[in-house]
Amino acid sequence: MSYSTIPWPTFADLKQMLHGFWASKPTYTESQYPDLQDKVVIVTGGNTGLGYETVKSLAGSTKARIYVFSRNKEKTLAAIKQIQLEIAEEYNVSNSDIRFIQVDLSDLTTIKPAVEEFLKQEQRIDIIIHNAGIMGPPVGSKSKQGYELQWGTNVVGPHLLQRLLDPLFIKTSETNPPGFSRIVWVSSTAHLFAPQGGVFWDNVNYENLKLSQTQVRTTLYAQSKAGNLIQARTWSRKHNYPNVISSSLCPGYLYTDLIRNLNSFEQCFVKRLIYPRRYGAYTELYAAFSPDVKDGAHTIGFGVPSHARTDLTSEAVGDKTWAYLDKETDAYL
């Protein structure tokens, strides 16, 4: 089976790649965030890494009810407790409303029960931040339903979660001012290394190809992040709710738990070039709040407008990816 082509980067693509190493400090921070009184925000993977910092910044600077959707109950409850301690010290805020919903995005059977549990507690959703994701697991790792683990966890699972949340999210958006309701899809500058059209449809799992494990691992992550970017650009076109802004972002080159699967040499190299994870939270919340963010936009660290690779912006690419994801998740609605 032939190997799918990865387009050569343009000058603008190269500039985006290099930006991550020499990004300016965040300028859109807590003092500019909306109050969010009585509003509801969901952050997937909010118990660790970038998600932890995003929840912490939200809890310390807004009055939102925050739901952390994550897999491990014990670790998440401990993380929420620690966040409460830290925001009391750093923001002088006590009793922020942070709640836990258990879900495993790599197992589609867990997602509908999670949403049902959420709907027992809430009658609105204002902002959804699809933050959870994995990078670089051992080649051959699979999700519960047999997808390559990054594709299943980063793309298929969030697609089903969004579909199940859509009815309440859309209903809420109709009561909000234009642009207030938002879906934030955490992609990556790594999308520039994805196959032509974003996905290698002949072999989505990249199995039995004559490539090194490093090539396979890198390209699979890039493919999953291209998937997130395509989801962000396609959601509004498929739903036609003008009050909503759906956008993607690269949070920046950050020191988070995502690098745990890199080998020791890779970790040593990467650690010299990356930024504190809190900066990435500012990128996510820029996408969630800034009036400068438009529907379908792509933001890079740490709150800088950028672009998607050209071949990923066509409606045909969006339609094909969306149809595939709908088909794969129909049975779990």
Side-chain angles (χ1 to χ4, degrees):
M1 183 175 291
S2 63
Y3 176 52
S4 182
T5 302
I6 298 174
W8 284 99
T10 64
F11 176 78
D13 294 340
L14 291 170
K15 185 178 179 181
Q16 183 178 143
M17 293 179 208
L18 293 173
H19 170 89
F21 297 114
W22 293 282
S24 57
K25 289 185 177 181
T27 58
Y28 191 87
T29 57
E30 284 93 341
S31 64
Q32 295 162 275
Y33 297 167
D35 177 80
L36 297 186
Q37 180 72 50
D38 298 324
K39 305 301 185 184
V40 174
V41 181
I42 291 173
V43 182
T44 65
N47 62 320
T48 187
L50 175 57
Y52 180 99
E53 294 295 336
T54 300
V55 171
K56 178 180 169 181
S57 183
L58 273 168
S61 58
T62 78
K63 297 176 182 177
R65 290 194 301 281
I66 304 165
Y67 284 82
V68 177
F69 278 53
S70 58
R71 183 176 58 184
N72 189 299
K73 181 177 181 179
E74 182 180 358
K75 289 182 178 179
T76 303
L77 293 178
I80 291 172
K81 184 177 180 180
Q82 183 61 33
I83 288 172
Q84 298 282 20
L85 292 173
E86 292 179 13
I87 63 173
E89 180 177 344
E90 296 180 30
Y91 296 88
N92 195 29
V93 170
S94 59
N95 299 318
S96 183
D97 195 347
I98 310 173
R99 308 180 190 186
F100 166 64
I101 298 289
Q102 189 164 27
V103 68
D104 181 354
L105 293 173
S106 70
D107 182 358
L108 299 179
T109 65
T110 73
I111 297 176
K112 185 174 182 179
V115 172
E116 289 173 341
E117 178 60 31
F118 170 80
L119 294 177
K120 291 176 184 177
Q121 302 181 46
E122 286 298 339
Q123 296 182 329
R124 67 180 303 119
I125 317 170
D126 297 277
I127 297 169
I128 302 168
I129 302 177
H130 291 290
N131 164 83
I134 59 171
M135 180 179 76
V139 173
S141 299
K142 298 286 183 65
S143 74
K144 184 74 172 180
Q145 283 71 39
Y147 302 104
E148 187 278 320
L149 189 57
Q150 294 167 109
W151 183 252
T153 305
N154 298 355
V155 184
V156 184
H159 190 82
L160 175 60
L161 177 62
Q162 185 63 49
R163 289 186 77 182
L164 290 165
L165 292 172
D166 272 341
L168 182 57
F169 175 72
I170 290 168
K171 181 180 178 181
T172 305
S173 76
E174 293 171 343
T175 69
N176 281 334
F180 188 92
S181 293
R182 300 202 184 188
I183 314 171
V184 177
W185 305 81
V186 178
S187 178
S188 171
T189 295
H191 83 271
L192 296 171
F193 300 97
Q196 181 74 36
V199 183
F200 186 21
W201 292 113
D202 290 341
N203 189 347
V204 176
N205 282 1
Y206 274 71
E207 295 174 318
N208 302 316
L209 297 177
K210 294 181 179 179
L211 298 170
S212 71
Q213 290 209 349
T214 299
Q215 285 176 295
V216 172
R217 188 177 62 179
T218 301
T219 308
L220 283 170
Y221 179 69
Q223 177 176 260
S224 76
K225 294 293 98 178
N228 295 144
L229 190 148
I230 293 166
Q231 286 170 305
R233 293 185 61 85
T234 308
W235 187 94
S236 294
R237 190 163 55 81
K238 293 297 182 181
H239 294 83
N240 192 30
Y241 283 90
N243 277 13
V244 175
I245 290 175
S246 173
S247 74
S248 61
L249 61 88
C250 173
Y253 300 174
L254 308 170
Y255 191 173
T256 74
D257 291 345
L258 280 179
I259 71 171
R260 66 183 178 274
N261 291 314
L262 302 181
N263 62 44
S264 56
F265 173 78
E266 290 170 331
Q267 288 197 28
C268 183
F269 176 75
V270 167
K271 286 177 183 178
R272 296 174 182 272
L273 300 172
I274 54 183
Y275 292 84
R277 64 189 192 183
R278 185 163 186 164
Y279 282 18
Y282 288 136
T283 314
E284 289 196 8
L285 295 174
Y286 171 88
F289 301 140
S290 173
D292 295 330
V293 175
K294 308 303 180 186
D295 188 53
H298 183 67
T299 302
I300 57 177
F302 299 105
V304 175
S306 192
H307 70 283
R309 202 178 70 192
T310 304
D311 62 297
L312 305 182
T313 64
S314 78
E315 291 189 2
V317 164
D319 289 346
K320 185 171 185 177
T321 306
W322 203 264
Y324 163 87
L325 291 170
D326 275 355
K327 181 180 179 181
E328 296 299 302
T329 55
D330 276 346
Y332 301 93
L333 292 174

